[in-house]
Amino acid sequence: MKKSTVGVTIVLILVIVGLVGFYAFLTGRAKTEAQESVMTPVQQVLSRDLAKDYPATVKEVVKYYTELEKCFYNEECTEEELEQLGMKARELYDRDLLAINEVDNYLLQLKTDVKRFKDAKRRISSISVASSTNVDFFSQDGFDFARIYCGYVVKESTGQSVMEGRVYLLRRGEERHWKIYGWESADKVNPGED
């Protein structure tokens, strides 16, 4: 009787060790697959479906746009990815801004700007969008507009960082979404004037 109990115990231990080993193997493989499936910043930004998940506030629109800009200027993108990023940015543009930026010319200009920025060995270190309480809302010609400040810290090829400010102007469209109407360097804008 004792020999059979010892035998059963040994078999049971071997089965448990086998199961633990098999579980460890599967867990290790799953971790490897998960690490391989981590999305790049470009893929993350492109994965957002603006038809279903359009940014709800002025700040969120500009914040998403700056994420696109970081991908334009900081990431190594294929030409196809750069075009996809450009088309995603256009989804945030007001119809009047789209009208003066025909797709082919826009994409050509975007590629030229990105190449110039990267050739100068510049990099966007950080971007800060003003808080939602600092949005300047106003109405004009029957439309609702909003202005918001955005600060860019750009690292130059010399290693120095330069602060650049931009003021975005957004207009609320028929679908009640805030769309980028335009922007200008902050030093050229006087927020007190409408």
Side-chain angles (χ1 to χ4, degrees):
M1 198 80 168
K2 287 189 175 188
K3 283 186 177 186
S4 66
T5 306
V6 171
V8 169
T9 304
I10 291 173
V11 169
L12 197 57
I13 289 173
L14 289 174
V15 168
I16 291 172
V17 168
L19 288 174
V20 169
F22 184 68
Y23 176 78
F25 169 76
L26 288 178
T27 304
R29 194 169 98 188
K31 284 181 184 177
T32 303
E33 289 173 3
Q35 289 171 345
E36 291 174 359
S37 69
V38 172
M39 292 181 6
T40 67
V42 172
Q43 291 168 332
Q44 287 176 351
V45 170
L46 288 174
S47 69
R48 185 168 185 171
D49 182 356
L50 293 177
K52 295 179 183 171
D53 185 25
Y54 194 85
T57 66
V58 170
K59 179 178 180 169
E60 289 175 17
V61 170
V62 173
K63 188 170 187 258
Y64 181 66
Y65 185 74
T66 62
E67 290 172 14
L68 289 164
E69 286 184 308
K70 279 185 180 178
C71 289
F72 292 155
Y73 298 113
N74 288 359
E75 301 299 324
E76 290 302 321
C77 302
T78 65
E79 187 169 336
E80 180 183 351
E81 287 174 327
L82 189 56
E83 288 178 4
Q84 290 172 346
L85 289 166
M87 296 308 291
K88 192 65 82 168
R90 288 177 62 84
E91 292 182 51
L92 299 173
Y93 290 176
D94 182 84
R95 66 174 186 258
D96 288 351
L97 184 57
L98 290 172
I100 60 172
N101 284 288
E102 186 270 324
V103 175
D104 291 336
N105 290 338
Y106 167 78
L107 291 175
L108 181 62
Q109 184 63 47
L110 175 63
K111 291 173 189 176
T112 302
D113 289 347
V114 168
K115 183 177 181 345
R116 189 178 310 129
F117 191 88
K118 288 183 175 185
D119 286 349
K121 296 187 180 357
R122 300 178 82 205
R123 183 168 181 79
I124 298 173
S125 297
S126 65
I127 300 174
S128 61
V129 180
S131 72
S132 295
T133 58
N134 291 330
V135 177
D136 178 27
F137 294 99
F138 63 97
S139 294
Q140 187 173 331
D141 300 326
F143 292 101
D144 292 329
F145 288 92
R147 275 190 291 252
I148 187 168
Y149 174 83
C150 186
Y152 295 77
V153 177
V154 179
K155 189 168 187 168
E156 301 287 344
S157 61
T158 61
Q160 290 183 310
S161 293
V162 178
M163 178 68 170
E164 298 177 4
R166 190 181 294 167
V167 175
Y168 286 91
L169 180 63
L170 290 87
R171 179 168 73 172
R172 192 186 298 254
E174 299 89 25
E175 67 286 333
R176 308 294 298 157
H177 291 157
W178 288 103
K179 298 281 190 163
I180 297 173
Y181 191 71
W183 59 85
E184 195 160 12
S185 176
D187 59 355
K188 295 182 181 180
V189 176
N190 183 355
E193 296 177 8
D194 289 337

